[in-house]
Amino acid sequence: MDWNQAYEKGDFKNWDFGSASPELVSYLAVRGLPAAGSRALDIGCGGGWDAIFLAQCGFAVTGVDVSPKALSLAAMRAKKAGVSIRFRTGDARNLPVEDLSIDFANDRGCFHVIPREERHRYAEEIWRILKPGGQLLLRGCREMSPEMQESMRRSSIPMSPITEEILDRLFPTERFFRGPVLPIRLTGEDRPEGLPAHIVLITKR
């Protein structure tokens, strides 16, 4: 998948939701606003809506994406919103942030496009960058109908479901505490019906 091309052609509207994702808003409504100096990382930040919301809530935010076009769009939106965010080009399997530096990591649809054989690298990076007690709010697709699978195949977006088995293997209990894996739908401007997905909160011990 050429993510830069997706932003150039406008295909990103499939996952560009026009505002902060409702799951993230609900999480912060329950969790409360961050302590002074708390750092957040938006993994696969895309056009930046979640990163902007996190900055508005008081986090010092870093947004990471593989697409410079996405980051350019995100930076423009952040400037318009009047917030300061550090946007960096990078891969979720090799995050450009310091060890033990992140209080909260946000992932809305990055993990599920990482090939299965590479997902252990993502999990190792989460372990590396989170402070003890730091949390990852993870969302990604669940098992899809044949029709949805065909739609994803045509759009050239390689998705692999998030399951309890995968999470338990990559985020073992000696390192992490995992909350329940709950069904949701991820919506976007061009997909109001939503993508069948899972959400889970993972905390570093």
Side-chain angles (χ1 to χ4, degrees):
M1 176 71 178
D2 187 330
W3 298 104
N4 252 346
Q5 187 178 71
Y7 280 88
E8 289 173 348
K9 294 170 60 179
D11 293 342
F12 68 94
K13 291 182 179 180
N14 283 332
W15 59 84
D16 193 71
F17 25 98
S19 62
S21 57
E23 323 88 59
L24 180 61
V25 174
S26 296
Y27 167 81
L28 264 295
V30 174
R31 177 193 187 278
L33 296 179
S38 295
R39 291 187 61 188
L41 175 68
D42 193 7
I43 304 170
C45 65
W49 293 118
D50 275 2
I52 290 168
F53 174 72
L54 289 167
Q56 290 171 332
C57 288
F59 282 102
V61 182
T62 299
V64 173
D65 204 282
V66 296
S67 168
K69 292 287 185 182
L71 294 176
S72 177
L73 175 61
M76 179 182 68
R77 288 172 171 172
K79 182 177 180 180
K80 185 175 181 180
V83 294
S84 177
I85 298 171
R86 181 174 67 164
F87 290 110
R88 302 191 65 180
T89 305
D91 191 300
R93 294 161 291 191
N94 186 22
L95 291 165
V97 295
E98 302 84 1
D99 295 356
L100 303 173
S101 63
I102 300 298
D103 298 281
F104 174 69
N106 179 61
D107 181 340
R108 190 183 195 267
C110 181
F111 179 79
H112 71 185
V113 299
I114 295 175
R116 289 176 184 265
E117 63 273 15
E118 292 289 318
R119 285 179 163 183
H120 67 282
R121 293 175 58 191
Y122 175 104
E124 285 297 325
E125 284 293 271
I126 296 300
W127 172 255
R128 179 182 69 81
I129 60 107
L130 281 184
K131 297 176 182 178
Q135 294 186 315
L136 166 68
L137 184 64
L138 178 62
R139 289 90 88 206
C141 73
R142 48 189 154 103
E143 295 293 344
M144 293 180 283
S145 66
E147 293 78 15
M148 183 66 75
Q149 291 177 13
E150 176 60 20
S151 174
M152 292 298 101
R153 187 193 65 79
R154 289 197 305 271
S155 68
S156 300
I157 300 174
M159 290 187 188
S160 183
I162 291 177
T163 65
E164 291 197 19
E165 178 186 5
I166 288 170
L167 294 172
D168 287 343
R169 176 167 51 83
L170 295 179
F171 300 94
T173 55
E174 62 267 23
R175 285 186 164 191
F176 298 95
F177 171 78
R178 175 177 67 75
V181 180
L182 302 175
I184 60 170
R185 285 183 174 267
L186 299 179
T187 59
E189 290 185 5
D190 285 1
R191 186 176 289 132
E193 75 281 2
L195 174 71
H198 278 141
I199 183 170
V200 61
L201 183 64
I202 297 170
T203 304
K204 180 176 177 177
R205 294 187 182 277

